[in-house]
Amino acid sequence: MKTYKAVPRKAMLTSALLAVLAGPAWPQDTTRDGAASSSEGLDPATLDTVQVTGIRGSLTSSMNLKRDSQGVVDGIVAEDIGKFPDTNLAESLQRISGVSIDRTSSGEGSKVTVRGIGPDFNLVLLNGRQMPASNLGNGGAGLSGSRSFDFANIASESISAVEVFKTTRADNPTGGIGATINVKTLRPLESAPVVSVGLKAVNDTSNDNLPSTLQGSKYTGEISGIFSDTYADGRVGVMLSGSYQERDSGFNQATVAEGWATFEGDNTTDWRVLPQPGQGYADRIQNRPGPDDVYGRPQNTAYNVNGVQRQRTNGQATLQWKPVDNVTTTLDYTYVENKVQQQRSELSVWFNYGPGDSIWTNGPVAAPIIYSEDMVNSDVSMGGAQLATKNTLDSLGFNVEWEVNDALTLNFDAHHSTGESQPDSPYGSAGVLGVAAFVRGKTTVDYSGDLPIINIALPPGGVQAADALVTGSVFQNSYNKSEVEQYQGRGTFQFADYSALDFGVGYTDVKNRSASAIMQRNTWGGLGTPADYDDSIWYADDMARYFDAFSGHDDPRLTGQFLVFDFDRLINRAAQVGTASDPACPTCYVAPTEYSQDIRTNETSKSAFLQYRTTFDWSMPLNVAVGVRYEQTDVDSTAMVRVPNGISWGSANELNIEYASESGFISDSGKYDYVLPNLDLKLDISDTLALRGSYSRSLGRAGWDQIQSGQSLADIVRTQGGSGSRGNPALEPLLSDNFDLSLEWYYGESSYASVGFFRKNIKNFISNTIVRENTGNLHTPVGGAYWNAALAAGCGVSDMPCIRDYIFTNFNGQPGVTATGTNSAGQLTGTIVGQPGDPIAGFDITLPANQRSDHLDGWEVAVQHLFGQSGFGLAANYTKVKSGLTFDNQSLGDQYPMVGLSDSANLVAFYDKHNWQIRAAYNWRDKFLNGIGGQGPNPNYTDDYGQLDLNISYAVSEQLSLSLEAINLTDETMRTYARHTNMLRYATQTGPRYMFGVRYKF
């Protein structure tokens, strides 16, 4: 039997604390426990007791948020106005159980994974509003279809709290299967007046570990400020905040960027495979993979060094007005700008799957320990790149909350927000300039350690400036714009027994545009001769100097000598070099201004929800919330795509697609609707012990690239074929039935322990599958009449220079064959274009598909303990996840794995007493699958990673405080690999980062 229940004083105190941080778009939070949305009627002395700042205050507020919430909710609350626990929001979120982060190459937290669900399926809100997520492709190139929000764009100074809703509620917007993350900013009518200014000096040690031409400033700065006050007897509130940060950093990588060609041990049909026992150079192979094994051969291996500069500007203005006591209006504007520039120099070697010595690991997945190929006057590649992008976010919102009477509260919220990512350089978002010296002999790589050891047979004196020349180049313009227009109307009716009915409707219109263009000069065999380039353009350096965090960097076998060059000067020179058949091309070295790919997708959603909340006042009070949400979504996509009309073979390793001058347009559409129920139960076993149980159904929308219309092909084609992708606007979203059960024990002041089990049954799982297709009438010279004539004359099937020389010598001037000269290695240059009658090229087309259903389950354990009044405390958590959606390394077929699935753990030890605050935080994430790609459907695993951060602050006075932060204190490195740990993809070194700060409150 249900009885009337008075509001507990404990809940009122917690609600009063949360009201300081509440955003106007979430009115149900201020009334969910029956508490008033303002502090009128509460004892002022009581309010003073809960307004605690510092580490202890932040953890206490986060604990109370967890304790009093409907469903499973975790969060982080600012330690003081203008002081969030970490400078980076993502790095703060990783302290929460079940939350892991993806890091940029320079080591900064960027995107979040929650309970094994990757960034694309976690919805990020700002004050309850869906935010646009604009992204560019990898390295600023190509199209991005990601919905993930980049937390690196947002400064933390104006953030008051972040809530992580791990269970779905009817009154929350849809789109987050892992979690819905709500970032709250300060509201002037709901906080004490403040004027605060902060300064920081940043020293990123990774900047010191670069060639001098790539280094930025040793010390960079950051300034932030916040002003908040009320006027007209508390009826008008104004908040202004802003921050500007510069950071110069770097990262160095060893890579197998093109991935691993993977085969079954008994494969004899692919020309790239190892010879079978008794054939070819099989006698040079030790421990050859067996017939039942799977093995991979590398396409290339490289070292690169990268300088990165960032300028981040954040600003927010909020105006609140209470014309009468029961009406609050809020107008707010947020602006974010994040500019990033990157310069790269590299040393790379390319393989042709030819003869050489090798030693292999045992199966069933075999990888090379030592791998070599015989080379004669091949290229030592020493390219450079410049990337420059600008990300912006504009968000204008309006909210009105009307307490109609004691029982009814209504709220209306509207906002228009735009996220934009675009190039910020004449070279476009990504400019790559190839450089080579054709002096490479036998090339050997040792893959057995964390750092691959490249050894190159070079002439006496090694690589010299007199041998170097420009080869090919690629300049790309990539663009992404996402606009969100959203209207939400909601209300709460409070019944006399403190039960409540939440209701609302919503309309969300999301427009996403992704566009790209490419300018590519395919002179990969060399542009002119080395004599065309002044030796003073180059200077010699050694890669071994920049990988000292890896064992093996001082291995005497490592050939690290490479040439660094002035990017601008070399481009200016390359633009002047040409021949009669290939004249100088100044326009080849700037990014194109007209897009060749342009995809515009419109996603419109309409929703309505009802949710009933009540409490049964039994001997063990039971809090119940039951709700349902209806969501209908329409998808329309239009794509402009390039029309391919031929394949041209311009260098030994690469063929290139040629395109018609005019592009084509394709449109398609899709539609879906779902009913999404939820049930949340909380049983108060005692004043300190609570048992929770929740069920909900949530959906996660497909990526923008998955629902695009049209098809795109990669510009570079290999001898075995090419690759491409296309989308499907009719894709269904992921649908997940979520179950949660947890026990929470609040055993002391600011201390608790909890254990929880969760399970997600996921349907319509979307994964990329690769289909081999013959696309249109794209004829390839590989396997054609000219090719076969060269083989018949004695050229080996993998000896590309021999085949090309034979064709140019014997067929120059015939259809499709144009010889242009001789490169510095003595090889003939020119183009060989596929002709009618030649084989039609095969392409590995990546397609998204709604695949099989599966489940994910896991455990979360958390403890937070304060050691009395000593000032010491700790917080620790561990999350273990398990799913059938894993990758089978022994299978070469299509697979449907869950990206981002991993265990994680955190340990935070702190001291907070008197004027001192000290926090040491260690975060660990286990190995996880971060994607598929690199020579077909190969897995890319990020190795387990742990990082220690330290923060020390001292309050000189009530106004002045000093702080010292150390990020990645133990100089950890990151590593990504394919099916075997020896199959490296990326090994990345950054470095510790130190920040000294001063903050003054007026």
Side-chain angles (χ1 to χ4, degrees):
M1 175 179 177
K2 183 174 72 178
T3 59
Y4 294 153
K5 182 174 184 287
V7 181
R9 183 176 180 83
K10 176 180 65 179
M12 294 181 70
L13 294 178
T14 304
S15 295
L17 175 64
L18 295 178
V20 176
L21 306 171
W26 296 83
Q28 70 276 18
D29 287 349
T30 62
T31 59
R32 182 165 287 116
D33 296 307
S37 60
S38 71
S39 59
E40 294 178 10
L42 293 178
D43 183 0
T46 300
L47 286 176
D48 287 343
T49 63
V50 298
Q51 292 176 353
V52 182
T53 60
I55 299 174
R56 178 173 180 152
S58 174
L59 292 175
T60 300
S61 299
S62 299
M63 183 192 75
N64 288 334
L65 172 65
K66 179 182 182 74
R67 185 176 191 173
D68 294 331
S69 292
Q70 171 193 326
V72 180
V73 182
D74 283 303
I76 297 176
V77 179
E79 296 174 4
D80 199 355
I81 296 175
K83 185 185 179 185
F84 214 66
D86 295 274
T87 302
N88 179 287
L89 285 183
E91 290 170 357
S92 289
L93 285 168
Q94 71 175 334
R95 317 294 180 203
I96 295 174
S97 60
V99 178
S100 305
I101 66 173
D102 293 344
R103 297 181 181 274
T104 64
S105 297
S106 57
E108 186 171 18
S110 176
K111 300 173 183 179
V112 300
T113 293
V114 183
R115 289 180 162 183
I117 304 295
D120 285 321
F121 298 107
N122 294 305
L123 181 66
V124 176
L125 312 174
L126 181 64
N127 295 317
R129 300 161 177 160
Q130 181 176 332
M131 285 292 102
S134 63
N135 299 271
L136 296 182
N138 185 34
L143 300 178
S144 170
S146 177
R147 292 179 183 264
S148 59
F149 187 84
D150 191 346
F151 286 92
N153 292 333
I154 297 184
S156 63
E157 282 77 12
S158 63
I159 306 303
S160 59
V162 179
E163 301 169 325
V164 180
F165 295 86
K166 297 180 179 177
T167 53
T168 302
R169 304 191 319 205
D171 54 351
N172 275 353
T174 59
I177 285 183
T180 298
I181 301 171
N182 185 35
V183 180
K184 291 186 172 184
T185 59
L186 194 67
R187 293 296 189 242
L189 292 185
E190 300 164 357
S191 63
V194 65
V195 179
S196 175
V197 176
L199 298 172
K200 283 185 180 180
V202 182
N203 170 231
D204 195 317
T205 61
S206 63
N207 176 71
D208 302 330
N209 191 35
L210 295 170
S212 58
T213 54
L214 301 184
Q215 290 183 7
S217 300
K218 187 176 182 67
Y219 298 99
T220 56
E222 178 178 347
I223 183 171
S224 62
I226 186 167
F227 168 85
S228 180
D229 207 348
T230 59
Y231 306 91
D233 295 326
R235 293 195 176 275
V236 176
V238 176
M239 191 280 292
L240 299 172
S241 68
S243 69
Y244 177 76
Q245 181 197 65
E246 292 184 354
R247 178 188 169 197
D248 291 348
S249 61
F251 66 93
N252 306 323
Q253 286 185 326
T255 75
V256 182
E258 295 298 311
W260 295 77
T262 310
F263 315 99
E264 293 173 339
D266 59 357
N267 186 324
T268 59
T269 58
D270 194 307
W271 66 268
R272 299 169 296 166
V273 300
L274 293 171
Q276 294 295 319
Q279 299 177 356
Y281 56 94
D283 59 324
R284 301 172 63 184
I285 303 172
Q286 297 185 39
N287 196 33
R288 187 200 185 281
D292 298 325
D293 293 340
V294 169
Y295 70 94
R297 301 183 75 176
Q299 174 76 55
N300 72 329
T301 303
Y303 304 126
N304 61 62
V305 288
N306 302 264
V308 182
Q309 303 82 43
R310 185 186 73 183
Q311 306 84 43
R312 185 177 66 189
T313 304
N314 277 204
Q316 186 171 71
T318 302
L319 175 64
Q320 287 190 290
W321 178 41
K322 293 186 69 169
V324 292
D325 289 343
N326 61 340
V327 175
T328 302
T329 62
T330 303
L331 179 68
D332 60 84
Y333 174 72
T334 299
Y335 177 75
V336 172
E337 180 183 271
N338 193 18
K339 291 184 175 183
V340 180
Q341 304 86 41
Q342 178 181 332
Q343 305 82 38
R344 172 183 298 167
S345 289
E346 71 175 16
L347 166 65
S348 64
V349 294
W350 291 77
F351 294 113
N352 295 324
Y353 308 109
D357 302 295
S358 60
I359 305 174
W360 295 80
T361 66
N362 295 325
V365 177
I369 300 172
I370 302 292
Y371 183 88
S372 72
E373 288 190 14
D374 301 334
M375 300 285 176
V376 177
N377 290 331
S378 189
D379 59 321
V380 178
S381 180
M382 298 167 289
Q386 287 204 4
L387 291 73
T389 60
K390 181 173 72 171
N391 298 316
T392 57
L393 170 67
D394 283 280
S395 180
L396 178 64
F398 175 74
N399 180 276
V400 57
E401 183 176 354
W402 178 25
E403 297 178 13
V404 181
N405 51 44
D406 290 342
L408 180 63
T409 299
L410 299 176
N411 184 284
F412 173 76
D413 189 88
H415 81 102
H416 181 88
S417 301
T418 301
E420 195 170 23
S421 299
Q422 58 188 314
D424 197 32
S425 164
Y427 302 133
S429 53
V432 177
L433 188 63
V435 169
F438 289 86
V439 296
R440 176 163 62 107
K442 182 178 180 179
T443 303
T444 304
V445 183
D446 182 344
Y447 292 103
S448 62
D450 288 340
L451 182 75
I453 307 302
I454 300 174
N455 181 265
I456 306 172
L458 295 171
V463 177
Q464 300 292 323
D467 301 320
L469 76 167
V470 170
T471 57
S473 58
V474 181
F475 293 86
Q476 299 196 54
N477 251 348
S478 295
Y479 177 78
N480 182 213
K481 182 178 182 180
S482 181
E483 295 181 85
V484 177
E485 187 172 325
Q486 188 174 45
Y487 303 93
Q488 300 179 85
R490 59 179 71 208
T492 298
F493 185 84
Q494 197 83 33
F495 297 100
D497 61 352
Y498 292 106
S499 297
L501 179 68
D502 304 319
F503 54 90
V505 295
Y507 173 86
T508 304
D509 184 68
V510 183
K511 294 182 174 67
N512 189 81
R513 181 189 181 194
S514 294
S516 70
I518 184 171
M519 172 64 72
Q520 182 163 322
R521 194 174 191 185
N522 295 314
T523 52
W524 300 105
L527 178 63
T529 69
D532 291 319
Y533 305 90
D534 193 303
D535 289 355
S536 65
I537 292 177
W538 331 89
Y539 74 89
D541 205 338
D542 190 344
M543 280 291 181
R545 299 171 52 195
Y546 305 114
F547 291 89
D548 57 352
F550 288 100
S551 59
H553 73 279
D554 55 356
D555 192 311
R557 297 173 299 166
L558 193 155
T559 304
Q561 183 183 354
F562 73 113
L563 300 177
V564 184
F565 53 88
D566 184 315
F567 195 85
D568 294 329
R569 184 181 174 191
L570 189 56
I571 277 184
N572 291 335
R573 179 58 189 145
Q576 302 169 10
V577 176
T579 63
S581 59
D582 187 12
C585 181
T587 59
C588 291
Y589 298 97
V590 293
T593 56
E594 294 186 4
Y595 294 118
S596 54
Q597 289 181 286
D598 196 342
I599 300 168
R600 307 181 186 198
T601 304
N602 192 81
E603 190 177 73
T604 303
S605 299
K606 302 172 185 176
S607 62
F609 73 86
L610 286 173
Q611 180 176 256
Y612 178 71
R613 294 177 284 113
T614 191
T615 299
F616 294 90
D617 193 16
W618 299 335
S619 58
M620 296 182 185
L622 178 66
N623 302 288
V624 179
V626 58
V628 64
R629 184 182 186 92
Y630 174 75
E631 193 92 13
Q632 176 186 302
T633 301
D634 295 282
V635 178
D636 295 287
S637 180
T638 299
M640 177 183 73
V641 295
R642 294 184 293 173
V643 179
N645 62 8
I647 295 178
S648 174
W649 189 9
S651 68
N653 294 317
E654 297 174 355
L655 298 88
N656 299 96
I657 296 178
E658 296 181 335
Y659 293 91
S661 57
E662 298 293 330
S663 297
F665 291 85
I666 298 176
S667 297
D668 206 347
S669 62
K671 182 177 182 178
Y672 54 85
D673 64 294
Y674 286 96
V675 175
L676 308 171
N678 76 280
L679 173 65
D680 293 305
L681 304 173
K682 179 190 175 188
L683 181 67
D684 290 322
I685 300 173
S686 68
D687 288 342
T688 60
L689 194 63
L691 178 67
R692 295 184 191 269
S694 294
Y695 163 76
S696 63
R697 176 171 290 178
S698 56
L699 62 83
R701 295 184 170 87
W704 297 111
D705 57 336
Q706 295 172 325
I707 59 174
Q708 72 178 34
S709 55
Q711 177 172 284
S712 61
L713 301 177
D715 293 299
I716 295 176
V717 181
R718 304 298 180 187
T719 53
Q720 69 273 16
S723 61
S725 63
R726 67 169 177 262
N728 177 13
L731 278 174
E732 295 288 318
L734 273 71
L735 193 66
S736 179
D737 288 308
N738 313 300
F739 302 88
D740 284 81
L741 184 66
S742 63
L743 184 66
E744 301 164 4
W745 179 31
Y746 299 92
Y747 60 86
E749 181 184 358
S750 303
S751 299
Y752 77 93
S754 68
V755 59
F757 172 80
F758 59 87
R759 182 181 179 93
K760 297 179 182 293
N761 295 330
I762 303 174
K763 305 174 183 178
N764 301 333
F765 186 78
I766 301 171
S767 182
N768 288 334
T769 185
I770 297 177
V771 178
R772 187 73 174 181
E773 294 183 353
N774 293 327
T775 302
N777 293 312
L778 293 180
H779 296 273
T780 174
V782 178
Y786 301 141
W787 173 284
N788 291 332
L791 297 187
C795 289
V797 70
S798 63
D799 192 347
M800 305 307 160
C802 177
I803 295 172
R804 284 172 55 83
D805 284 352
Y806 181 88
I807 293 173
F808 287 134
T809 300
N810 293 277
F811 300 105
N812 184 34
Q814 295 191 28
V817 180
T818 305
T820 58
T822 304
N823 65 19
S824 59
Q827 300 164 354
L828 294 176
T829 60
T831 58
I832 305 167
V833 179
Q835 299 297 301
D838 287 347
I840 295 177
F843 288 82
D844 291 328
I845 304 298
T846 301
L847 301 171
N850 291 114
Q851 305 288 357
R852 63 186 176 93
S853 303
D854 213 311
H855 72 276
L856 178 154
D857 54 45
W859 291 87
E860 292 179 345
V861 179
V863 61
Q864 179 175 301
H865 183 78
L866 271 63
F867 296 93
Q869 300 302 314
S870 67
F872 289 98
L874 64 83
N877 60 67
Y878 175 74
T879 302
K880 184 172 183 61
V881 293
K882 182 181 179 181
S883 174
L885 297 167
T886 57
F887 195 96
D888 180 2
N889 291 327
Q890 298 179 49
S891 173
L892 301 186
D894 295 333
Q895 300 189 51
Y896 319 111
M898 175 74 75
V899 173
L901 192 72
S902 69
D903 300 341
S904 61
N906 290 280
L907 176 63
V908 178
F910 65 89
Y911 176 81
D912 184 358
K913 192 171 185 180
H914 304 306
N915 296 351
W916 287 96
Q917 294 182 40
I918 304 172
R919 180 180 68 246
Y922 181 77
N923 172 264
W924 172 83
R925 184 178 185 182
D926 201 2
K927 180 189 80 172
F928 66 95
L929 179 72
N930 69 29
I932 296 177
Q935 297 287 315
N938 286 315
N940 294 312
Y941 298 105
T942 296
D943 212 350
D944 65 291
Y945 180 82
Q947 179 171 301
L948 177 64
D949 303 331
L950 180 67
N951 186 301
I952 302 172
S953 64
Y954 177 74
V956 179
S957 66
E958 292 185 1
Q959 290 77 35
L960 179 63
S961 62
L962 308 176
S963 65
L964 177 65
E965 299 174 68
I967 309 298
N968 190 18
L969 191 59
T970 53
D971 193 10
E972 302 297 327
T973 59
M974 296 177 284
R975 199 172 191 274
T976 302
Y977 58 90
R979 296 173 188 264
H980 189 283
T981 55
N982 282 23
M983 294 183 182
L984 175 77
R985 290 303 310 281
Y986 301 96
T988 306
Q989 174 177 336
T990 54
R993 182 167 78 250
Y994 303 99
M995 291 170 281
F996 175 74
V998 178
R999 192 162 65 98
Y1000 190 85
K1001 292 195 296 184
F1002 294 90

